[in-house]
Structure formats: structure tokens, C-alpha cells
Amino acid sequence: GYNVGGLQKEEYSGKDTGTKIRWKPDLDVFTDIDIPVDYFVDTLKRQAIVNDGLVFVFREQQGNKFIQKEIVYENGITDYVNEIVGEEKMAGVQFWQTERKGKDREDKPEYKVKINAALTFSNRHTLKEYYHNSSWLEHGGVPEKATRSALVSQIDAYIKQTNKYKGNESKITFSDVEECLVLVISSFSTITSYENQT
């Protein structure tokens, strides 16, 4: 909508902190505003998953009252993976975090990258989700390709190191582990091009 009456300072004696955003669509621009509630809840949930401990509050007006739902994952992607598998996991959830600096090319500026990864294995659940700078990469993109390569490489190295391959068994492939993999990766970078970066 449009700001009517300008901005004015007002005293505030409350103890709340953080940011409250109230949004109403401009009906001249948004001609169809019948957006399902599930869309908003899902969007807030995905933000809570990758922003550890941040509380998102969704208020839905039903008649003269509001139904309020709080969405928070105190331990981010680790809590989310645990929520997905519950007790039906083959091992505990593993969590890794790292930070690096680098360049895409010598003529490009240096940027920082932070990566969080949580995974476990389950006979009943499968999930692969990737996020970059809090945006859900619905189709996986480059992180999906990197995950396939890295996971297969590490599992293959372990199998070889522990002599677990039998006879002339062929090398493990991603499809061998994909059906029981529950994996969430969240990365952040100071420069984002979404092209050959993640």
C-alpha cells in the first residue's frame, strides 16, 4: 500500500525487540490476493529452519480474532532433520559447519562463505534440501551436484580404507545411498551471483 500521513516518531515503553512487518497488498498491483495460508506458513518455516533460534510469528485473522502460530528451530537445520526422521533414523544426526574465503576467479573479488550441513540416514524417510542466503533452492542446483560428488567420494574412501568391498563389487554410487539419506545444507555468502558460486 501507500504511506498515508507520513512517518512520525512515537514513544514506546514496551520491552519487545526485533522487527515487526505488517504488509497489505496494493490492490491495483496485486489483483489476486487469495494466497493460501499454507504458502505463508511454509515460507516462514523455511526461514526458521536456516535462521537458528529466530522466532517467526504468523497471525491469521479468522472473523474477529487472530489465530497465532510461532515457528522456531532453536538448533536450525539439526532440529529440522530430527523433526523429519524422529526416532526412525539409523544413526544420530551429524552436523558440520565451516567458514571459508575465496574467489570464483582471480579477477573477481574475494568473498566469505559459511556452510552448515546436517544429515542422517533412515529406512523410512528421504530428503535433500539446499538453501543459500536463506533462500530455498527448490531444484538443488550446484549444491546438489557437489553433494553427490562429495558424499560418494567420502563413502567410497571409507569402504576402501576398511576393506568393505567384497570381491569384484562395483564402486558405490549416489543412488545406493540416496533413498535413505536425510540431508539439509544451508550456505551463506557475502557475494551472491547464483551462477557457478555455491
Side-chain angles (χ1 to χ4, degrees), residues 128-132 135-143 187 194 198:
K128 295 186 310 288
E129 285 187 5
Y130 308 95
Y131 298 82
H132 184 69
S135 294
W136 176 38
L137 304 178
E138 187 173 358
H139 302 291
V142 175
S187 60
Y194 291 99
T198 52

Side-chain angles (χ1 to χ4, degrees), residues 40-58 69-81 83 116 129 131 134-136 184 186 188:
F40 293 105
V41 172
D42 184 63
T43 300
L44 293 177
K45 179 179 177 178
R46 291 190 182 285
Q47 287 301 303
I49 289 167
V50 296
N51 292 285
D52 308 14
L54 191 58
V55 179
F56 289 86
V57 179
F58 180 73
K69 177 177 180 138
E70 287 190 359
I71 306 165
V72 62
Y73 287 86
E74 287 298 330
N75 300 300
I77 62 176
T78 302
D79 286 352
Y80 178 53
V81 169
E83 176 184 276
N116 298 324
E129 285 187 5
Y131 298 82
S134 295
S135 294
W136 176 38
V184 179
S186 175
F188 296 89

Side-chain angles (χ1 to χ4, degrees), residues 6 24 162 196:
K24 288 186 179 180
T162 56
N196 196 26

Side-chain angles (χ1 to χ4, degrees), residues 104-105 108 111 132 142 191-198:
D104 286 340
R105 294 189 323 232
K108 296 286 186 182
Y111 61 90
H132 184 69
V142 175
I191 296 177
T192 299
S193 65
Y194 291 99
E195 181 179 289
N196 196 26
Q197 180 176 8
T198 52

Side-chain angles (χ1 to χ4, degrees), residues 14-55:
K15 295 183 181 181
D16 297 23
T17 61
T19 303
K20 289 183 180 178
I21 298 173
R22 289 181 175 83
W23 178 78
K24 288 186 179 180
D26 180 336
L27 298 181
D28 291 333
V29 176
F30 298 96
T31 54
D32 181 8
I33 61 168
D34 187 20
I35 302 169
V37 168
D38 290 347
Y39 171 81
F40 293 105
V41 172
D42 184 63
T43 300
L44 293 177
K45 179 179 177 178
R46 291 190 182 285
Q47 287 301 303
I49 289 167
V50 296
N51 292 285
D52 308 14
L54 191 58
V55 179

Side-chain angles (χ1 to χ4, degrees), residues 102-173:
K103 294 181 178 188
D104 286 340
R105 294 189 323 232
E106 204 48 51
D107 62 329
K108 296 286 186 182
E110 182 177 81
Y111 61 90
K112 295 178 186 174
V113 176
K114 177 180 177 182
I115 300 172
N116 298 324
L119 74 78
T120 191
F121 295 94
S122 170
N123 283 329
R124 299 191 182 264
H125 303 278
T126 184
L127 174 79
K128 295 186 310 288
E129 285 187 5
Y130 308 95
Y131 298 82
H132 184 69
N133 287 1
S134 295
S135 294
W136 176 38
L137 304 178
E138 187 173 358
H139 302 291
V142 175
E144 168 87 11
K145 293 175 190 167
T147 296
R148 288 174 174 269
S149 174
L151 209 54
V152 167
S153 173
Q154 288 301 301
I155 293 173
D156 178 60
Y158 173 78
I159 293 172
K160 285 177 182 171
Q161 185 179 36
T162 56
N163 295 317
K164 300 282 184 192
Y165 281 124
K166 295 189 171 93
N168 58 355
E169 236 178 349
S170 60
K171 179 181 174 180
I172 194 165
T173 65

Side-chain angles (χ1 to χ4, degrees), residues 170-188:
S170 60
K171 179 181 174 180
I172 194 165
T173 65
F174 190 69
S175 60
D176 293 331
V177 293
E178 186 174 24
E179 288 182 12
C180 61
L181 178 64
V182 179
L183 168 74
V184 179
I185 295 177
S186 175
S187 60
F188 296 89

